[in-house]
Every structure is written in structure tokens, then in C-alpha cells.
């Protein structure tokens, strides 16, 4: 089965790199963790389907181009970094 889009490292690098400064990413995560703490919650789970992943992108930097199908979720806790799980297919 042939992918509709190239699947080598060079082709995927655009969706694997943050398109904003790492300090901004860390600030976003700290903000979510502070809110979880304030609400006495253990974790936040964000799920989005298709290319409508603005919340997933906000918490992970993962960008799913409009031609991809599938979904993605981010699990964030009070400590550590977020975990991205995706079944996105090009």
C-alpha cells in the first residue's frame, strides 16, 4: 500500500518540530499543570479528530495537515511532560 504523502524523515520533520519557541511550549504546560493543581485534578485528556487539532497542537506542537485522516490525543498530568498518541495517517 502506498501512502498518499511521502513518509520519510525529511517529509515528516515539519510536523514533528515545534513551530514556536520551546519556552512558549514549557509555559503552556506549566499553565495547564497549575490549573490541574488548582482544580485538584490528576490529568487532562484532549482528543481531536482530523485536522481540527488546535487544542492538541497547543499542548503538543503536533500538526496534522488537512489531508491526513485519523485523530490524536494528548494526556497531560500535574507533573512531567504531555504524552501524545496519534493514529493520524497521511
Amino acid at each position: 500500500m502506498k501512502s498518499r504523502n511521502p513518509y520519510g524523515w525529511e517529509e515528516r520533520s515539519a510536523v514533528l518540530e515545534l513551530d514556536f519557541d520551546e519556552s512558549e511550549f514549557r509555559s503552556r504546560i506549566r499553565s495547564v499543570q497549575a490549573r490541574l493543581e488548582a482544580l485538584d485534578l490528576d490529568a487532562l485528556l484532549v482528543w481531536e479528530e482530523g485536522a481540527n487539532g488546535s487544542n492538541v497542537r497547543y499542548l503538543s506542537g503536533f500538526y496534522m495537515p488537512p489531508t491526513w485522516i485519523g485523530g490524536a490525543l494528548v494526556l497531560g498530568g500535574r507533573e512531567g511532560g504531555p504524552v501524545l498518541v496519534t493514529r493520524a495517517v497521511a
Side-chain angles (χ1 to χ4, degrees):
M1 183 172 167
K2 187 174 181 177
S3 174
R4 290 183 289 170
N5 295 316
Y7 199 68
W9 178 256
E10 291 299 317
E11 292 84 9
R12 292 184 296 142
S13 65
V15 297
L16 298 175
E17 300 295 326
L18 294 175
D19 59 348
F20 46 84
D21 191 69
E22 187 176 339
S23 63
E24 169 65 20
F25 176 69
R26 293 186 188 285
S27 174
R28 293 174 184 187
I29 301 309
R30 282 193 302 271
S31 176
V32 168
Q33 290 172 333
R35 190 70 176 141
L36 288 171
E37 186 71 34
L39 295 171
D40 195 29
L41 297 172
D42 293 325
L44 171 70
L45 179 66
V46 177
W47 162 263
E48 291 182 318
E49 186 74 26
N52 300 319
S54 59
N55 292 320
V56 165
R57 188 170 189 184
Y58 181 86
L59 293 173
S60 69
F62 178 70
Y63 169 67
M64 190 167 15
T67 57
W68 288 19
I69 58 172
L73 68 85
V74 175
L75 177 63
R78 290 186 190 182
E79 298 177 358
V83 176
L84 170 70
V85 179
T86 182
R87 62 180 179 89
V89 178

